[in-house]
Amino acid sequence: MAVDRTLYREVPATSALWGTGLVLAAFLVAGLAAFLYVEHHGHVVTGMTNQVVWGMPHVFAIFLIVAASGALNVASMASVFDKAAYKPLSRLSGVLAISLLAGGLLVLVLDLGRPDRLLVQLTHFNFSSIFTWNILLYSGFIAVVAVYLWVQMDRTVHPKWTKPAGVLAFVWRLALTTGTGSIFGWLVARPGYDAAIMAPLFIAMSFALGLAVYVLVLQTLCALSGRALGPERVGGMIRLLGLFVAAVLYFTAVQHLSNLYATEHKGFERFILVDGGVYTTLFWGVQVLLGGLVPLAMIYAGKASRPVMPTLVSALVILGGLAQIYVIVIGGQAYPMELFPGYSVSSDFFDGAIAAYTPSLPEILLGLGGVAFALVATGVGAKVLRILPSNLSDTNPVTKG
């Protein structure tokens, strides 16, 4: 079969592209301004306290890092599982994964208060700390995915190397997400974190969030550049997304049922599931209902390929994922640690009290700045590397080459 040599031709930009670029640039500037404001005044101007030391920037950062792993779903389907329909989309998958991870790490670095302290982490390693392992996993992920992209794009490299590179990237992304989930699973002092289920839960979350972000980015790039995008091609990814959403709900149920079985965690479970205020609302209303059950109902009602539906489903999954990370990160800190099991403790240092936390505007802008950075980096990568075919309609033939 003859190969269409215009498959990766350049597509002219539209005025909408410039408008989108200006919006993202505005968020980048706002994120930089928020960083400078917090760096000058200190973290006292944020909603974070001595009780809640990981705030809204960490929610955004963890979301981006987890989604970065899952953004490689499409590339893995193409090279690891030999699904030819995903091959034209695999390059964007790699670029998006690197961009999302870079955006998440940027938020973390800027939230340190003193970004120069990052040099200490890069030159002094404590291998008994999960944070040290995560630094190696993050930097290694970028290197592995970069090699994976090079193998796919360099025509002088024999195609036989694509699958080994894809398998390595697939295994590395599982290790990366396991490390991120283990940050919480290994914190035994916090009743909301201490659970081995955190690692597989975060892996399932990465599959769902990464694919949802990928679908939205793919649709946006195609719309801005005038590329044809077949509804059935997107519908296949949305049906796959349904399996990932169901897996997230399953592991979430296992997490809370396991905690309810253990007496030491029953107080925290009541806090999250019944009387936690905003955390209970986010859990049941946003995470479970809007981010889980509603998308599943839409997908399995046979509406995945209809106009607007993939966008709506992906947006709801992302909204539910953000709520889930917020409940895990912030809710886990808001519930007090049990300093002396079996005894009631109270003091002027908020011992035994539910910690209050309200995200401040600088925190939100810093997080949105990281999202904007990831999207800008993806757009620039797609433009410079020309990684998207010009025709992604359902009738366009796809080869296994």
Side-chain angles (χ1 to χ4, degrees), residues 10-80:
E10 190 67 35
V11 180
T14 63
S15 58
L17 180 62
W18 290 102
T20 304
L22 289 176
V23 171
L24 292 178
F27 278 113
L28 280 175
V29 172
L32 178 61
F35 157 67
L36 294 174
Y37 178 74
V38 175
E39 195 272 340
H40 177 73
H41 294 280
H43 279 66
V44 68
V45 297
T46 70
M48 289 179 275
T49 63
N50 288 335
Q51 289 74 44
V52 181
V53 296
W54 293 344
M56 200 65 188
H58 299 79
V59 173
F60 277 103
I62 293 170
F63 171 85
L64 290 170
I65 292 170
V66 169
S69 171
L72 270 180
N73 282 327
V74 175
S76 297
M77 292 296 294
S79 58
V80 179

Side-chain angles (χ1 to χ4, degrees), residues 54-216:
W54 293 344
M56 200 65 188
H58 299 79
V59 173
F60 277 103
I62 293 170
F63 171 85
L64 290 170
I65 292 170
V66 169
S69 171
L72 270 180
N73 282 327
V74 175
S76 297
M77 292 296 294
S79 58
V80 179
F81 300 101
D82 294 321
K83 300 296 182 180
Y86 292 96
K87 288 185 181 292
L89 305 172
S90 59
R91 299 178 183 183
L92 174 62
S93 182
V95 171
L96 179 60
I98 293 177
S99 300
L100 289 172
L101 181 58
L105 295 179
L106 181 65
V107 175
L108 285 181
V109 170
L110 295 183
D111 187 61
L112 288 175
R114 288 186 56 189
D116 58 292
R117 298 294 294 174
L118 180 64
L119 295 176
V120 177
Q121 301 297 324
L122 295 177
T123 55
H124 296 78
F125 297 104
N126 175 17
F127 290 102
S128 64
S129 169
I130 187 62
F131 293 99
T132 291
W133 286 103
N134 275 299
I135 289 176
L136 300 177
L137 289 171
Y138 296 154
S139 56
F141 179 82
I142 293 175
V144 167
V145 176
V147 171
Y148 185 27
L149 278 172
W150 167 67
V151 170
Q152 294 181 75
M153 299 177 67
D154 192 340
R155 296 185 179 181
T156 64
V157 179
H158 197 280
K160 72 176 183 179
W161 292 107
T162 302
K163 186 162 188 174
V167 171
L168 177 60
F170 181 77
V171 173
W172 201 283
R173 60 181 278 212
L174 293 181
L176 181 147
T177 318
T178 300
T180 304
S182 297
I183 291 176
F184 302 95
W186 293 355
L187 281 175
V188 296
R190 293 282 184 181
Y193 294 162
D194 178 23
I197 196 68
M198 282 295 185
L201 173 62
F202 269 68
I203 290 175
M205 288 168 56
S206 74
F207 284 1
L209 297 180
L211 187 56
V213 171
Y214 181 90
V215 169
L216 290 183

Side-chain angles (χ1 to χ4, degrees), residues 238-297:
I238 292 299
R239 286 188 288 272
L240 179 61
L241 178 61
L243 296 176
F244 296 151
V245 171
V248 172
L249 288 174
Y250 170 77
F251 282 116
T252 300
V254 172
Q255 174 198 6
H256 291 285
L257 288 174
S258 300
N259 283 345
L260 286 171
Y261 187 79
T263 303
E264 60 181 321
H265 295 310
K266 286 184 177 179
F268 173 78
E269 287 302 313
R270 181 174 179 82
F271 172 68
I272 293 296
L273 301 180
V274 180
D275 54 11
V278 64
Y279 305 107
T280 302
T281 302
L282 286 174
F283 178 81
W284 291 112
V286 183
Q287 176 185 334
V288 175
L289 181 61
L290 292 180
L293 298 179
V294 171
L296 280 180

Side-chain angles (χ1 to χ4, degrees), residues 327-339:
V327 170
I328 291 174
V329 176
I330 309 299
Q333 296 174 91
Y335 189 78
M337 291 188 293
E338 190 172 5
L339 301 179

